[in-house]
């Protein structure tokens, strides 16, 4: 794009210094280009003028009507003062109400004059009213030539709306367009645009803000989505090509004694077909001469840790060290215990290193990896500290990778002259189309079957009315020697919500499950690490029958004897988080249960989420549904919004067809011109650059 579009937004008519600061703070809009990239999220038909009698519960959220002012009245004092303006047309009457800006409105309202009123209708005691509508005289309305009959409604914030209403923001977009329209450069070569039937970028931006027809709006959206997804694909495929051009991966030519002994004598249960397939894929990667970059997806409890261990043993057999990085102290210790137990009696030395390691443990781990006597190091992000020096690191496993920042991960690959092979594991299922296309630089492996002996978890949804029934069921399970998780979304009640919080819940459960017959432990993110460890230890050892926790226990805690997972205020969690929490039970051979507790009143989306949980245990089906329900969001489920890339209009789940086309287009463009060096590809280079710095969670940064 033309550098002119980098001009400061404050120079646009109607903005100025103060509003420019507000736009940047509230919406991140700093330049003309940013403003044009702030697309409407819906449109209102400004050609339709309603009669008052036509407006009822079925009317759109925003309407406009033509009415004459018949009177005004004031009520309340001081800050509670409000102005009511009464209007009517030949079919009925309505009330317009203002709580703020009363002085400004008073000057603009004349009894007996006709106005165009635009706002959100509501009914109070069967009377139609509008709170803080926009108004203008009919003379003004008729003299104003709209760019389009469909007016864009732009996302805003409470603070910004109080300074700039919907109309104010729209006016700034109009003024920005007047300045920038002649300066919009076209990034795509003509041949590419013709091939895919795309509007010019200028026409697309015009029709996204001022649609000249529904069809032109559709074409504008298509073109802008195409640009975003093409930018991402050019990035991913350039990086993949660069990695494969290096041909500098470690070779693991032999399957030796350690791997074979483990496979023949130590396997806790026979490998599933899926586990065998994934180990074979990893094995093939390590004999090609290229550095492996593989994403391993497997539902909770599918046996990813075993696959990771066997892959690390391949490295050990070939004279290399391996390390495994987990996001939390609890999970790192658990992996260390599990792997130590599996390798008992074998000539493989395993060490652990976390932020909480004592001096002796730390010294032993650091010395052992430096002199090569430790084969496998397991730890938290303490592994990336400068003093951690490997003698020959050849294989890195990263568990639940979305919990690490890009810089943290990148520092692991610098622990060796040559980049080690990388296996990234996640229990957050990512639909295959999405994984292959967004993470095109990674090879994707999937473990899609559970180990033998695992029973599907039964999931039910109860409302608060069934609490006594729930407590009765918990007592039954505890009487059978089982244990129960109770998970809350909050630690303390915040004034804004009426959700049950953990402290209240802990007290209620302690009352209903009293000592000494029952022991209840508690675990949440604000506790000191040592207290959290002690609570987890009590629960894991069976001293406590109930663990009351926040979602800190979501990832990785393994207590095979826990068979009941109660999730309070389940409507507050995303689907992937609910599924992760459910995966904490069902780890032994006993039938396990997940009980979703919620209030009586549920939104349509919340109800759909809870129903889906009761219907299926398949994480991939849930991931597909989750993405449809809440848009792409953060596909790793740690946040509820914000993609791995800064996508303003494209949604990789819903726009899979465009995604696939851009993948093909990027492959063809880079095949013909790998560096995009041709003069006609200057715009594509800029597009690729724009989407290269956004990928905060992009797995393909791993190389």
């Amino acid at each position: 794009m033309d550098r002119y579009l980098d001009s400061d937004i404050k120079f646009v008519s109607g903005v100025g210094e103060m509003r420019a600061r507000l736009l940047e703070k509230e919406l991140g809009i700093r330049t003309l280009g940013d403003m044009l990239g702030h697309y409407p999220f819906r449109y209102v038909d400004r050609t339709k003028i309603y009669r008052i009698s036509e407006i009822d519960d079925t009317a759109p959220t925003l309407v406009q009507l033509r009415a004459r002012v018949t009177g005004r009245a004031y009520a309340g004092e001081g800050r509670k003062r409000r102005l009511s303006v009464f209007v009517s047309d030949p079919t009925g009457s309505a009330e317009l109400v203002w709580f703020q800006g009363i002085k400004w409105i008073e000057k603009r309202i004349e009894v007996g004059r006709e106005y165009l009123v635009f706002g959100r209708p509501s009914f109070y005691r069967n009377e139609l009213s509008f709170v803080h509508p926009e108004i203008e005289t009919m003379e003004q309305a008729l003299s104003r030539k709209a760019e389009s009959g469909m007016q864009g409604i732009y996302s805003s914030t409470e603070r910004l709306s109080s300074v700039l209403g919907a109309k104010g923001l729209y006016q700034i977009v109009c003024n920005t367009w007047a300045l920038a329209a002649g300066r919009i450069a076209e990034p795509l070569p003509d041949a590419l645009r013709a091939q895919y039937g795309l509007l010019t970028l200028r026409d697309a931006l015009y029709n996204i803000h001022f649609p000249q027809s529904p069809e032109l709006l559709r074409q504008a959206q298509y073109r802008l989505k195409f640009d975003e997804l093409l930018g991402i694909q050019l990035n991913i495929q350039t990086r993949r090509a660069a990695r494969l051009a290096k041909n500098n991966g470690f070779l693991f030519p032999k399957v030796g004694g350690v791997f074979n002994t483990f496979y023949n004598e130590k396997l806790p249960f026979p490998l599933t077909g899926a586990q065998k397939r994934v180990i074979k894929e990893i094995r093939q990667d390590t004999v090609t001469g290229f550095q492996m970059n593989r994403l391993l997806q497997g539902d909770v409890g599918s046996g990813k840790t075993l696959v990771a261990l066997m892959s690390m043993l391949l490295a050990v057999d070939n004279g290399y060290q391996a390390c495994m990085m987990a996001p939390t102290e609890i999970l790192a210790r658990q992996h260390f215990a599990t792997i130590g137990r599996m390798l008992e009696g074998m000539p493989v030395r395993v060490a652990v290193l976390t932020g909480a390691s004592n001096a002796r443990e730390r010294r032993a781990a650091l010395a052992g990896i430096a002199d090569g006597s430790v084969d496998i190091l397991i730890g938290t992000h303490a592994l990336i500290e400068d003093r951690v020096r490997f003698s020959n690191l050849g294989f890195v496993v990263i568990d639940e990778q979305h919990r690490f920042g890009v810089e943290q991960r990148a520092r692991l690959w610098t622990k060796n002259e040559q980049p080690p092979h990388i296996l990234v594991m996640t229990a957050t299922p990512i639909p295959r189309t999405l994984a292959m296309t967004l993470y095109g630089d990674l090879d994707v492996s999937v473990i899609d079957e559970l180990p033998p002996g695992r029973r599907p978890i039964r999931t039910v949804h109860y409302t608060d009315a069934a609490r006594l029934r729930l407590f009765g069921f918990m007592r039954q399970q505890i009487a059978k020697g089982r244990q129960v998780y109770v998970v809350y979304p909050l630690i303390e009640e915040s004034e804004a919500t009426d959700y049950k919080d953990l402290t209240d819940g802990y007290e209620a459960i302690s009352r209903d499950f009293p000592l000494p017959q029952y022991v209840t432990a508690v675990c949440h993110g604000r506790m000191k690490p040592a207290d959290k460890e002690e609570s987890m230890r009590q629960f894991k050892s069976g001293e406590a029958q109930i663990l009351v926790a926040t979602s800190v226990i979501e990832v990785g805690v393994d207590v095979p004897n826990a068979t009941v997972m109660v999730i309070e205020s389940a409507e507050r969690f995303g689907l992937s988080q609910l599924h992760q929490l459910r995966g904490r039970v069902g780890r032994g051979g006993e039938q396990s249960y997940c009980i979703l507790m919620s209030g009586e009143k549920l939104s349509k989306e919340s109800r759909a989420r809870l129903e889906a949980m009761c219907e299926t245990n398949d994480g991939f089906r849930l991931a597909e549904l989750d993405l449809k329900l809440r848009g792409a969001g953060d596909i790793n489920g740690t946040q509820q919004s914000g993609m791995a890339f800064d996508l303003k209009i494209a949604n990789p789940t819903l726009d899979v067809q465009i995604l696939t086309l851009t993948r093909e287009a990027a492959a063809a463009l880079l095949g013909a011109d790998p560096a995009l060096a041709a003069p006609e590809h200057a715009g594509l280079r800029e597009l690729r650059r724009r989407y290269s710095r956004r990928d905060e969670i992009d797995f393909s940064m791993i190389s």
Side-chain angles (χ1 to χ4, degrees), residues 166-404:
K167 193 164 142 200
L169 207 51
Y170 177 75
Q171 198 51 55
I172 288 173
V173 174
C174 293
N175 297 346
T176 306
W177 179 260
L179 287 177
R183 307 292 290 268
I184 293 166
E186 176 55 64
L188 303 188
D190 292 347
L192 185 73
R193 268 199 13 256
Q195 184 184 347
Y196 291 99
L198 301 168
L199 290 181
T200 64
L201 182 58
R202 186 192 179 284
D203 287 351
L205 285 171
Y206 183 66
N207 280 286
I208 199 84
H209 292 293
F210 318 111
Q212 300 303 298
S213 71
E215 174 53 25
L216 279 165
L217 172 61
R218 192 194 63 73
Q219 288 186 36
Q221 289 166 333
Y222 190 91
R223 163 66 206 256
L224 295 168
K225 288 175 179 183
F226 192 95
D227 279 21
E228 288 185 349
L229 296 172
L230 180 64
I232 288 170
Q233 287 303 317
L234 288 170
N235 256 296
I236 287 174
Q237 294 187 34
T238 300
R239 276 203 292 262
R240 185 181 179 83
R243 176 167 68 87
L244 294 179
K246 282 185 189 147
N247 199 5
N248 63 346
F250 291 122
L251 285 168
F252 296 173
K254 67 177 183 193
V255 178
V258 173
F259 184 95
N260 284 326
T261 306
F262 182 82
Y263 184 73
N264 295 322
E265 297 171 20
K266 292 282 188 180
L267 270 188
F269 44 75
L271 294 178
T272 62
Q275 284 173 313
K276 284 181 181 164
R277 184 183 70 240
V278 172
I279 291 169
K280 203 179 206 168
E281 288 167 351
I282 291 167
R283 164 98 187 94
Q284 280 163 346
D285 283 350
T286 58
V287 295
T288 56
F290 298 118
Q291 181 228 350
M292 177 178 90
N293 238 2
R294 194 167 276 283
L295 168 65
L296 172 57
Q297 296 188 72
D299 225 332
V300 180
S302 60
K304 294 186 298 297
T305 310
L306 188 59
V307 168
L309 171 59
M310 293 179 75
S311 310
M312 292 194 286
L313 294 181
L314 274 177
V316 173
D317 264 337
N318 286 277
Y320 293 97
Q321 291 169 305
C323 77
M324 185 174 196
M325 188 157 85
T328 63
E329 170 88 15
I330 291 173
L331 193 49
R333 296 266 166 207
Q334 188 172 292
H335 281 321
F336 177 59
T338 306
I339 286 173
R341 201 168 53 242
M342 285 182 182
L343 293 176
E344 225 169 296
M346 290 188 66
V348 179
R349 190 165 159 220
V350 186
V352 64
L353 181 65
T354 73
S357 288
N358 61 32
R360 201 170 109 237
E361 188 175 63
R362 185 180 299 268
R363 263 200 313 275
L366 291 174
I369 52 167
D371 66 19
S373 60
V374 164
D375 302 298
I376 295 174
L377 179 64
I378 294 168
T380 55
H381 49 265
L383 298 188
I384 59 181
E385 291 170 5
D386 290 337
R387 58 183 159 179
V388 179
R389 298 270 162 82
F390 290 87
S391 90
N392 195 9
L393 178 64
F395 198 95
V396 173
V397 179
I398 295 178
D399 194 15
E400 287 305 328
Q401 77 82 37
H402 60 274
R403 307 211 161 198
F404 297 105

Side-chain angles (χ1 to χ4, degrees), residues 229-244 291-295 297 430-445 635 643-645 652 659-660 662-664 666-667 670 695 697-703:
L229 296 172
L230 180 64
I232 288 170
Q233 287 303 317
L234 288 170
N235 256 296
I236 287 174
Q237 294 187 34
T238 300
R239 276 203 292 262
R240 185 181 179 83
R243 176 167 68 87
L244 294 179
Q291 181 228 350
M292 177 178 90
N293 238 2
R294 194 167 276 283
L295 168 65
Q297 296 188 72
I430 302 157
R432 198 167 182 90
T433 44
L434 199 55
M436 282 170 58
T437 318
L438 277 185
Y439 309 122
D441 187 38
L442 279 147
D443 302 303
V444 179
S445 291
I635 54 163
M643 261 307 289
F645 303 89
L659 236 171
T660 313
T662 56
R663 194 177 183 195
E664 286 167 15
L670 293 168
D695 38 10
I697 331 176
D698 182 12
F699 292 143
S700 47
M701 287 293 283
I702 285 168
S703 58

Side-chain angles (χ1 to χ4, degrees), residues 485-559:
Y485 290 104
V486 183
V487 176
Y488 286 86
L490 299 171
I491 295 175
E492 286 147 14
E493 193 152 2
S494 74
E495 287 169 38
T497 66
D498 58 355
Y499 291 107
K500 294 206 165 33
D501 63 289
L502 180 135
T503 38
D504 267 6
Y506 178 60
E507 283 166 22
I509 283 171
S510 302
R511 268 197 312 274
D512 275 88
F513 294 84
L515 289 159
Q517 191 183 352
Y518 301 99
V519 177
T520 303
V522 66
C523 180
H524 60 73
R526 290 194 200 160
M527 287 165 70
K528 289 180 181 148
D531 296 343
K532 209 160 30 176
E533 289 289 317
E534 174 55 21
S535 287
M536 291 307 307
R537 187 202 62 72
Q538 281 185 327
F539 191 62
K540 283 177 83 167
S541 67
E543 284 171 39
Q545 294 94 344
I546 302 171
L547 178 68
V548 176
T550 51
S551 49
V552 288
I553 57 125
E554 176 190 332
V555 173
V557 182
D558 198 352
V559 182

